[in-house]
Amino acid sequence: MPLVQQSPYVIVGAGIHGLSTAYHLALALKASGKGDGRDIIVVDKTGVASGASGIACGVIRNNYYQPAMRELMAHSVAVWETDSVGYSYHPVGYMQISSESMHEDVSSIYKQQCDIGYRSVFVEGAKDCSDYMCHIFDDWQAQGITSVLHEKSGGYANNKKALMGLAAKAEAEGVRIIGGCRVTGFRRDNQGTIEAVETALGDIQCDYVVLAPGPWAKQMWDMLEMPSTVNIKNPDTGVISQDVPMWVYWSLQEGTLGVDPNLQQTNDGRMPPVIHVDTDAPLYSDVDGSLITDKMWGIYYKPDFNFGGIQGGAAPFIVDKKADEVAVDPYGPESPEFIVGDDFSTMWVSALAHCQKRFSGKMAHYKSEPSGGIGAFTPDSFPVFDVFYENCYFIAGANHGYKMIGVGKLVAEEVCGQKSALLKPFRFSRYAEGQLHPVSNSPFPWS
Ligand SMILES: Cc1cc2nc3c(=O)[nH]c(=O)nc-3n(C[C@H](O)[C@H](O)[C@H](O)COP(=O)(O)OP(=O)(O)OC[C@H]3O[C@@H](n4cnc5c(N)ncnc54)[C@H](O)[C@@H]3O)c2cc1C
């Protein structure tokens, strides 16, 4: 027998998207007089923060080349700012520091940030960039940097603490969160509308389902009998690429340098912005001086007391397997297959030292504990937010997710009948219609 046999709204997944949707839906129902949080249950096969949200670096930024992503992120940053204590959010800002190959892209991001009123400073030219960075960190030494975009908002949040804060807000509104409840399928009527969510504990009848499965998106997609491939229209040529796999996994590379987080204080003794560097400057090993790469590389890092050091990551890589063959469980650091190896630690710590002298000679402090995890990406690596079978809202964040706390608010509004212009560019139909997002020169699939 399930703990609950019926609920008007069932949300699957207690990560950032499921919990944000639950909390904001509870508020929206109450405001409209149509119900309240007691009409909502969240089910999770494990519990709160047991997926990607619980291991995320937690970086929150606006810096996206795609206008639709940027507007969505500006909305999400505003939601983080509503309760920085409750969400364990650190509004330290964010810096995109780039070599010339990305100058034009980042310049257009800055212009569009000005248009939407998102506070940022843009610095151009090698000398001005070096001066700007040295004014913040006197040991800044990265060469070949020709643009710095300094976002004054954004920063990072403590992954699990933020989720606990969100769960507490939802529960205070009457939402019930049920852990240890694995969804196994959906019972649908003749039209395909979902009548009940089938779980290992029994069926839960419902009027509306919101699915927020994170890296388990493919499994949930398959349960809904959705297509495993899509046709994608090229917006410029009209040529259609047939049978492109709907899901592909990328392995996220993150780790922690176990030094005092205060080591990364700014010249004036403050906690610094999150740093993200993309460059084609040759990268040499800080251990033996050998060349690591002379191709484009990228890293991000921040001091983080939660992780106990300087925490961050590098560009991810595609999991070279058909999606059907990828084992998502055990997830994250518990997966021996997808934790980062020595290649990552050498590259990442050397890259830290490339940027700031204070990290030189610190390789021995790298924490050898397992870290990293995989994400389920869509064909264009951007999210899909859409309704299927009349009453099933699918939130597939394509690993952009943690920062997008505002998506749940917009989804809640859509569930209550109010269409969102911010979510419209992320419908599933964009592939067939060729309404694709522009692609940047960043080495990361989510920029
Ligand atoms: C290492 C790493 C670092 C990252 N860093 C950042 C970052 O700095 N900034 C950023 O914005 N994003 C980051 N991301 C991406 C971000 O973490 C995810 O996009 C986001 O957390 C996904 O949230 P979600 O709510 O969709 O999924 P999740 O947080 O994964 O939650 C999904 C939940 O669904 C549950 N579930 C799955 N299947 C079932 C089932 N059958 N029945 C019941 N429950 C089920 C799971 O147990 C899980 O709790 C990172 C990702 C990784 C892996």
Side-chain angles (χ1 to χ4, degrees):
M1 285 286 284
L3 298 175
V4 179
Q5 288 167 296
Q6 191 279 333
S7 173
Y9 300 93
V10 176
I11 296 176
V12 181
I16 194 86
H17 288 309
L19 293 174
S20 176
T21 304
Y23 171 53
H24 290 103
L25 183 57
L27 296 181
L29 289 173
K30 193 159 78 175
S32 65
K34 289 182 189 159
D36 57 32
R38 290 170 297 177
D39 299 316
I40 304 166
I41 62 166
V42 179
V43 296
D44 195 291
K45 68 186 177 65
T46 311
V48 171
S50 55
S53 307
I55 60 168
C57 180
V59 172
I60 293 155
R61 64 184 158 101
N62 181 266
N63 174 39
Y64 271 96
Y65 181 61
Q66 300 71 26
M69 289 295 282
R70 212 166 34 250
E71 286 182 33
L72 192 57
M73 298 316 158
H75 171 269
S76 277
V77 168
V79 174
W80 283 108
E81 285 172 346
T82 58
D83 184 1
S84 50
V85 175
Y87 292 138
S88 206
Y89 166 58
H90 303 268
V92 290
Y94 171 91
M95 300 182 92
Q96 169 71 47
I97 299 159
S98 321
S99 60
E100 189 56 23
S101 57
M102 287 180 57
H103 191 158
E104 208 178 309
D105 286 1
V106 184
S107 167
S108 91
I109 293 171
Y110 170 66
K111 286 192 188 94
Q112 292 172 47
Q113 287 182 338
C114 292
D115 292 345
I116 61 172
Y118 197 84
R119 286 187 309 131
S120 59
V121 169
F122 190 50
V123 186
E124 296 171 273
K127 176 157 190 329
D128 285 0
C129 288
S130 175
D131 289 350
Y132 190 84
M133 292 309 300
C134 286
H135 188 66
I136 300 173
F137 303 111
D138 53 16
D139 65 335
W140 185 263
Q141 57 185 11
Q143 300 297 308
I145 298 300
T146 60
S147 72
V148 173
L149 178 69
H150 186 173
E151 300 183 353
K152 297 296 184 162
S153 300
Y156 70 98
N158 298 121
N159 50 26
K160 285 198 172 72
K161 280 189 194 163
L163 274 276
M164 294 306 166
L166 200 46
K169 282 172 185 280
E171 285 177 329
E173 293 296 327
V175 173
R176 285 162 292 171
I177 301 173
I178 304 172
C181 183
R182 188 165 57 84
V183 171
T184 53
F186 301 95
R187 197 173 73 228
R188 312 212 309 259
D189 69 12
N190 293 340
Q191 272 73 48
T193 307
I194 292 174
E195 295 177 327
V197 176
E198 297 167 343
T199 82
L201 302 178
D203 293 359
I204 307 171
Q205 287 182 28
C206 59
D207 301 329
Y208 205 99
V209 186
V210 178
L211 303 177
W216 293 267
K218 180 191 180 302
Q219 283 82 344
M220 211 60 69
W221 191 259
D222 291 349
M223 283 180 208
L224 288 171
E225 299 172 324
M226 296 289 290
S228 59
T229 61
V230 288
N231 295 342
I232 304 181
K233 184 175 171 184
N234 183 309
D236 300 321
T237 63
V239 173
I240 294 174
S241 302
Q242 308 269 355
D243 299 330
V244 179
M246 179 62 204
W247 302 105
V248 58
Y249 293 94
W250 288 67
S251 183
L252 283 295
Q253 306 286 291
E254 292 198 348
T256 303
L257 188 66
V259 293
D260 180 355
N262 288 308
L263 178 67
Q264 179 60 349
Q265 279 185 0
T266 59
N267 295 345
D268 56 2
R270 293 174 201 232
M271 290 321 274
V274 175
I275 301 294
H276 184 124
V277 178
D278 289 320
T279 180
D280 48 18
L283 178 62
Y284 296 97
S285 165
D286 191 54
V287 180
D288 60 15
S290 61
L291 179 70
I292 294 177
T293 182
D294 55 3
K295 309 263 172 357
M296 191 82 185
W297 54 270
I299 58 159
Y300 48 93
Y301 58 99
K302 58 175 165 50
D304 192 323
F305 290 91
N306 197 39
F307 280 96
I310 306 297
Q311 194 269 345
F317 61 83
I318 293 184
V319 176
D320 190 18
K321 277 183 177 176
K322 287 188 181 141
D324 278 337
E325 295 165 6
V326 175
V328 182
D329 287 301
Y331 186 68
E334 283 162 30
S335 163
E337 197 181 352
F338 296 120
I339 51 173
V340 302
D342 292 347
D343 284 358
F344 166 78
S345 50
T346 305
M347 180 271 164
W348 185 67
V349 178
S350 298
L352 292 179
H354 171 101
C355 296
Q356 293 183 252
K357 199 168 184 340
R358 69 191 73 180
F359 297 119
S360 191
K362 294 282 191 289
M363 189 68 213
H365 295 272
Y366 182 81
K367 288 191 176 184
S368 58
E369 64 204 15
S371 59
I374 58 172
F377 284 65
T378 57
D380 59 356
S381 298
F382 292 108
V384 169
F385 305 125
D386 214 338
V387 179
F388 301 96
Y389 305 122
E390 306 275 326
N391 66 344
C392 177
Y393 206 114
F394 205 112
I395 304 177
N399 214 75
H400 299 269
Y402 188 83
K403 64 183 81 61
M404 295 196 295
I405 195 171
V407 165
K409 184 167 191 276
L410 299 170
V411 168
E413 287 165 11
E414 290 211 319
V415 170
C416 291
Q418 193 184 325
K419 288 284 167 211
S420 160
L422 290 177
L423 296 185
K424 194 165 170 239
F426 301 98
R427 304 303 185 211
F428 181 57
S429 60
R430 73 173 181 271
Y431 299 120
E433 293 164 357
Q435 302 285 330
L436 304 181
H437 299 276
V439 177
S440 77
N441 288 306
S442 161
F444 289 80
W446 55 76
S447 288

